[in-house]
Amino acid sequence: MPLALCTTSHSPLIGLHDPDPQVRAEVDGVLAEARAFVTGFAPDLVVVFAPDHYNGFLYDMMPSFCVGAAASSVGDYGLPSGPLDVDRDTAYAIATAVLDAGVDVAVSEDMQVDHGLVQPLTFLFASLTAVPVVPVFINCVAEPLGPAVRARLLGAAVGEAVRELGRRVLVVGSGGLSHDPPVPRLAEAPPEVVERLKHGRNPTREQRAQREGRTIAAARDFAAGRGPFRPLNPAWDALVLDSLAAGDFAALDGRGNDWFVEEGGHSAHEVRTWIAAYAALAAQGPYEVRSRYYRAIPEWFAGFATTTALPR
Ligand SMILES: O=C(O)CCc1cccc(O)c1O
Ligand SMILES: [Fe+2]
């Protein structure tokens, strides 16, 4: 059993704009179970597929995929900041194998990661340096995006690469499912936002606070049924979860990018991280989902899901 999987939604609104205490407690319980699953598996390496929200990856140079050989957290939304314990040699071994497999992944010697990558680590581990990681960025917001099938091919290539390591590897996917929070889009952005999307790394404390305040205000509106945001789509979320649980990648491979947006909102592209993680697990052979949780949580702006899986 050298591989295990945990995929989870993230939301920076956790702790900042919570649902009913009962719902919060339910999710805390689910995440505690996921943490116990991970502790039981005792990984010696964690490969995290995660998106970014214009904190580390901007339009000055936007790759589709990037493996981090070194990485640190920007500490957005009050999450821990500072360096991750990146296994640099393994990051290069994975990047090399993925390139050999025909997937053009970029490499970063100084990857900046945000809540998309950091929050699941806080769900599962006591600190950002509790376990060696290899971060794998998947562009899920900055158009133009390649087709979702490319995320599956990336995941499969990473899965093949880690299979050869002979280590206990936990594969994590972070994001989704259906959700449409206010992430700016280049084509519609006013000039000052365009500038930020190109060069807005390392905002001041005040700029970050202002941005985060806007996300919270938008979540308040959304939870109250106001605003221009696309609704959560539990039926679509169930389709995604069922397809991945069944290893039915073909159900998603054939879908165009518009389908994801129409069904699940703009940020539904974050399910690419789940597709990649499950494809990595599938590289080992048949697998079995061990736990599956889902609830639409408008206060967190997310169709919120967490799953764990193991080889059969
Ligand atoms: O800060 C941002 O740009 C977006 C924040 C955000 C909100 C809800 C769900 C998410 O997955 C997410 O990332
Ligand atoms: Fe996100």
Side-chain angles (χ1 to χ4, degrees):
M1 192 174 56
L3 217 72
L5 170 145
C6 177
T7 53
T8 185
S9 303
H10 59 247
S11 171
L13 295 151
I14 297 175
L16 298 178
H17 184 247
D18 278 336
D20 283 354
Q22 258 166 290
V23 173
R24 174 71 213 240
E26 180 181 281
V27 175
D28 285 345
V30 168
L31 296 176
E33 277 170 36
R35 186 190 278 239
F37 169 85
V38 168
T39 305
F41 176 70
D44 54 32
L45 179 72
V46 182
V47 175
V48 189
F49 295 100
D52 178 75
H53 311 75
Y54 297 113
N55 288 296
F57 290 88
L58 288 82
Y59 271 106
D60 57 349
M61 187 72 78
M62 180 62 73
S64 292
F65 310 128
C66 184
V67 172
S72 59
S73 165
V74 301
D76 58 334
Y77 294 98
L79 288 162
S81 62
L84 276 55
D85 180 15
V86 177
D87 182 337
R88 185 169 178 274
D89 290 346
T90 302
Y92 274 101
I94 289 173
T96 303
V98 169
L99 288 163
D100 280 347
V103 179
D104 295 333
V105 70
V107 169
S108 172
E109 278 286 353
D110 187 12
M111 190 190 281
Q112 305 296 111
V113 297
D114 72 5
H115 67 273
L117 196 132
V118 167
Q119 195 176 47
L121 291 179
T122 68
F123 291 161
L124 301 175
F125 299 101
S127 81
L128 294 189
T129 51
V131 60
V133 300
V134 173
V136 183
F137 161 77
I138 298 179
N139 176 20
C140 299
V141 294
E143 291 170 347
L145 300 180
V149 64
R150 296 297 298 169
R152 180 174 67 73
L153 296 173
L154 169 73
V158 170
E160 290 292 341
V162 299
R163 195 158 73 140
E164 277 150 34
L165 297 174
R167 295 171 65 178
R168 303 182 66 77
V169 183
L170 175 72
V171 179
V172 172
S174 169
L177 300 180
S178 62
H179 66 314
D180 196 36
V183 179
R185 287 188 291 283
L186 187 72
E188 297 152 29
E192 68 278 10
V193 177
V194 169
E195 183 55 27
R196 182 193 131 199
L197 296 182
K198 291 194 288 187
H199 304 125
R201 267 188 208 85
N202 307 313
T204 64
R205 201 178 277 275
E206 291 72 27
Q207 286 169 324
R208 198 176 279 300
Q210 196 179 55
R211 216 187 284 173
E212 295 176 3
R214 280 199 291 264
T215 304
I216 294 166
R220 261 192 222 114
D221 281 350
F222 181 64
R226 295 188 301 262
F229 314 107
R230 286 173 190 263
L232 305 180
N233 187 347
W236 184 78
D237 293 337
L239 186 157
V240 171
L241 291 170
D242 288 345
S243 302
L244 293 175
D248 182 9
F249 295 100
L252 305 172
D253 278 353
R255 302 295 189 167
N257 291 346
D258 290 349
W259 180 74
F260 288 84
V261 175
E262 275 153 27
E263 295 287 337
H266 294 88
S267 290
H269 289 310
E270 286 184 355
V271 302
R272 286 158 191 257
T273 65
W274 287 55
I275 293 171
Y278 269 94
L281 183 61
Q284 307 268 301
Y287 59 77
E288 189 169 66
V289 170
R290 290 305 183 96
S291 67
R292 168 172 163 170
Y293 171 78
Y294 177 81
R295 181 189 279 278
I297 306 181
E299 290 82 359
W300 290 347
F301 239 124
F304 195 94
T306 302
T307 71
T308 60
L310 289 172
R312 210 193 292 278

